[in-house]
Amino acid sequence: MSESYSEDNALLEQLRSGDQNAWRNLYEEVRSPFRLYFIRYGTAPEVATEMFQEAMVILNRNIRTGKLQAPLKSALRTYIIGIGRVLLMRKGTDTQQWEGEIPEIPILPEVEDQQERKAKAQLARQLLDRLGSPCRELLELFYLKNYVMEAIARELDLPSPGAARRRKHDCLRKMRELMTA
Amino acid sequence: MDAENWTTEQIEAYLRQVLPAPEQAKLKADLEQDEQLRAEVAAYQRVLEGLDALQEQNFRVQLDNWSAETATNDQTELITWYLEGQLKPEGQQMVETRMAADPAFREEVMAYQQLIGGMEAAQDEDFRSKLEDWEAGMAQQADSGNTLKVVSRRPLWQYAAAAVGALLIALSTFSLYLKVNYSGPALSRAYYESPISERTMGGENTESTPLQERMDFAHRQLIGKEYNAAFMAFDSLMREIPRSNLDDFNKALLLEQAGWNRLLAATAMDNPPIDVIAEARRIRTTPGHEYADKAEQLLNDLESRWYRWAN
């Protein structure tokens, strides 16, 4: 099958750049079909909603880390539902008989232990809080809000995106040094 | 190359797997050799994973906010999926179990069932009214201002299916209308008139009687829908009338009558042996022809799209 998913590929780039409107639109567009897909087979509505939240988090992670890249092998909606199925299978639900409704199997997402991720987030927050305000602000803009370098330069009144990039790596190094300090 | 020779930017790019392939391979090779570099890269990995996890936490908060804004219709959505039959047996069972356990939810389902049932009834009423309009006005679109507007929760394909169904019924009704009014036999019947020979051909001419009998017999064949036989009879009369010893006036009158009825018989036939349109045109343009006006009307009908559709 050689479907191109050109619209979804363009959307993927918007999502990768942290476009909040694109994320919000995707959320609203896929939420209802996702819930219907799972509720149709008897999944409790609350569970379906939780699974959707989790699937969106995993999608976000896979995009951010480059695990999901253009050209897509399936529509984003299919990919998200595919993540939901993996989550459900890991809970012990057999979804094999549902195969016909999702013709393309998306890349299997890595589902990490939430506690482990919480601990990692906590460490990062502590390190950021120990950084001086300019570095903290810059790293938050880049890593937490997905700002591109041009936007960071404008936001922090830096002379150029290149200067913002150099400053970012200086700050990252300081953060790393704080780990062993 | 030792740990100090790799920049933060390169190490981050390596961990994100976006470092150019040769550098990626070089750093990987250095990592195998250099314990200090391994520790350095591992430290950066923890920092980056921590930042990613923190971003994810923020994203979760954002999702929770969006969910709170969009979840208000979740129950309504669930109920309509159930009532519209969109759930598999497992899903239906889940909803019914919930209804049994939660009287408030059950009440909601019942309320929506009434609501949707009412809307469907209103749609049926609306559709019935449209059919009546079609029957009365034949293919005239009902004035949307006079129809009951119903806000429906049905998916688009159901509207499309209903529209296609309505269209098929309308087409079928319209087709029936055309057959009844514009088929060849229908036109033949509509334009047929009782013979006028009786008022013109009396007992004053002895030859008129056998011709009159043959003419009456041909009319009975035409009325009895024996179109082929009627055509032959009128055609034969058209050849014999000029040779008769009738006066010119009666000859002309009888000939015009035979010609007109031959045309009606041909109009009713599946494969008429004459060109009916040409013949109708001939009658229409014949000066003083008794049936010229009728021929003009028939010609209009024969040349109409309704006649073409009906035949």
Side-chain angles (χ1 to χ4, degrees):
Chain A
M1 192 179 287
S2 59
E3 208 166 337
S4 68
Y5 305 108
S6 56
E7 280 185 23
D8 277 32
N9 284 324
L11 175 59
L12 181 62
E13 288 315 304
Q14 286 181 282
L15 299 174
R16 189 187 307 286
S17 72
D19 184 332
Q20 289 307 291
N21 285 334
W23 277 104
R24 173 73 190 243
N25 290 342
L26 180 70
Y27 180 92
E28 289 181 351
E29 204 172 297
V30 180
R31 189 175 190 274
S32 186
F34 183 98
R35 290 179 74 248
L36 173 59
Y37 181 82
F38 290 97
I39 290 171
R40 178 183 289 157
Y41 287 101
T43 303
E46 300 75 18
V47 174
T49 303
E50 269 176 36
M51 276 167 43
F52 177 62
Q53 302 284 99
E54 197 55 34
M56 288 296 286
V57 168
I58 292 167
L59 173 73
N60 176 272
R61 186 189 307 161
N62 287 356
I63 291 175
R64 199 178 60 248
T65 58
K67 287 195 176 80
L68 180 62
Q69 290 187 353
L72 290 168
K73 292 174 185 165
S74 71
L76 278 171
R77 186 166 104 168
T78 308
Y79 185 85
I80 297 166
I81 291 176
I83 294 173
R85 285 183 55 182
V86 172
L87 293 173
L88 208 56
M89 282 192 288
R90 291 185 182 187
K91 286 181 178 178
T93 303
D94 179 16
T95 66
Q96 288 306 306
Q97 71 274 23
W98 303 2
E99 282 290 325
E101 308 217 1
I102 295 284
E104 300 148 74
I105 304 299
I107 302 159
L108 293 182
E110 287 178 11
V111 183
E112 197 177 23
D113 183 348
Q114 281 219 34
Q115 284 303 114
E116 195 181 336
R117 292 194 75 78
K118 206 174 267 184
K120 287 177 178 175
Q122 200 171 2
L123 171 69
R125 174 48 63 197
Q126 285 168 354
L127 294 172
L128 282 172
D129 288 346
R130 287 168 63 191
L131 280 172
S133 175
C135 263
R136 185 176 62 242
E137 202 175 346
L138 190 151
L139 293 178
E140 283 180 352
L141 286 176
F142 184 81
Y143 288 104
L144 307 189
K145 296 184 177 172
N146 294 97
Y147 274 43
V148 293
M149 286 303 168
E150 288 78 3
I152 292 174
R154 276 197 305 275
E155 185 78 14
L156 300 181
D157 206 18
L158 294 169
S160 67
R165 186 175 294 109
R166 281 192 298 277
R167 180 74 64 83
K168 182 206 115 181
H169 287 110
D170 288 344
C171 292
L172 190 61
R173 197 180 64 249
K174 280 184 191 169
M175 195 172 170
R176 179 262 168 275
E177 286 166 1
L178 285 173
M179 264 183 73
T180 48
Chain B
M1 194 183 277
D2 59 26
E4 289 182 7
N5 289 328
W6 290 102
T7 65
T8 306
E9 188 170 6
Q10 287 171 316
I11 291 172
E12 184 182 14
Y14 170 80
L15 291 170
R16 299 282 189 208
Q17 298 183 331
V18 291
L19 197 63
E23 287 181 62
Q24 189 89 8
K26 177 77 176 72
L27 205 157
K28 199 173 178 183
D30 282 358
L31 279 171
E32 284 170 10
Q33 304 288 324
D34 189 337
E35 192 176 336
Q36 193 190 347
L37 179 62
R38 279 202 297 275
E40 195 64 12
V41 171
Y44 274 109
Q45 187 165 17
R46 288 183 65 195
V47 169
L48 291 173
E49 283 178 355
L51 287 166
D52 286 345
L54 200 53
Q55 192 274 345
E56 195 170 292
Q57 269 192 354
N58 289 353
F59 188 66
R60 280 180 192 278
V61 170
Q62 197 168 41
L63 288 177
D64 288 343
N65 291 336
W66 291 341
S67 180
E69 289 169 27
T70 53
T72 48
N73 290 325
D74 281 0
Q75 180 166 288
T76 308
E77 203 170 51
L78 173 66
I79 292 170
T80 52
W81 288 336
Y82 171 70
L83 292 175
E84 289 172 357
Q86 293 197 49
L87 305 181
K88 302 273 183 192
E90 304 95 305
Q92 284 177 356
Q93 183 60 47
M94 183 269 295
V95 173
E96 282 156 13
T97 303
R98 184 166 291 214
M99 282 165 68
D102 183 351
F105 178 67
R106 182 183 160 77
E107 234 174 79
E108 279 295 292
V109 174
M110 294 302 162
Y112 275 101
Q113 193 164 27
Q114 262 190 320
L115 198 65
I116 291 170
M119 285 175 177
E120 282 172 353
Q123 278 183 325
D124 288 347
E125 197 55 41
D126 184 40
F127 184 59
R128 188 174 292 117
S129 152
K130 279 199 176 85
L131 278 179
E132 284 167 4
D133 284 350
W134 286 328
E135 282 168 11
M138 278 305 132
Q140 286 191 353
Q141 286 193 343
D143 179 6
S144 60
N146 294 334
T147 57
L148 178 59
K149 302 242 185 219
V150 180
V151 178
S152 172
R153 306 180 63 83
R154 290 181 162 209
L156 195 58
W157 70 265
Q158 286 189 13
Y159 282 118
V164 169
L167 188 62
L168 287 175
I169 290 169
L171 283 174
S172 161
T173 309
F174 187 54
S175 169
L176 185 63
Y177 170 83
L178 291 177
K179 289 276 180 213
V180 167
N181 294 281
Y182 285 91
S183 66
L187 287 180
S188 174
R189 283 194 299 275
Y191 283 92
Y192 178 74
E193 280 184 352
S194 300
I196 55 173
S197 58
E198 285 169 8
R199 69 173 189 260
T200 57
M201 294 192 294
E204 72 273 21
N205 192 316
T206 51
E207 201 182 358
S208 71
T209 304
L211 280 176
Q212 180 67 58
E213 283 173 1
R214 287 177 61 188
M215 185 70 86
D216 288 346
F217 185 68
H219 274 284
R220 283 199 297 275
Q221 287 176 315
L222 185 56
I223 293 166
K225 301 181 183 175
E226 297 171 53
Y227 302 119
N228 289 350
F231 178 87
M232 298 296 287
F234 285 120
D235 189 61
S236 169
L237 280 165
M238 285 180 74
R239 282 194 299 275
E240 288 187 29
I241 289 167
R243 294 200 295 265
S244 71
N245 57 4
L246 289 171
D247 61 70
D248 289 345
F249 175 79
N250 276 317
K251 266 188 193 171
L253 193 62
L254 210 56
L255 200 57
E256 286 173 359
Q257 188 190 344
W260 172 248
N261 285 296
R262 187 185 71 155
L263 172 61
L264 293 184
T267 302
M269 290 165 72
D270 289 336
N271 297 298
I274 58 170
D275 181 343
V276 290
I277 289 179
E279 178 63 6
R281 200 169 281 140
R282 184 192 66 77
I283 293 173
R284 187 194 65 179
T285 54
T286 301
H289 198 294
E290 178 73 20
Y291 294 92
D293 292 344
K294 289 252 174 210
E296 181 162 11
Q297 291 169 27
L298 177 63
L299 195 58
N300 287 338
D301 284 339
L302 291 173
E303 290 180 327
S304 71
R305 67 167 68 94
W306 313 122
Y307 175 78
R308 288 199 296 276
W309 287 356
N311 296 277

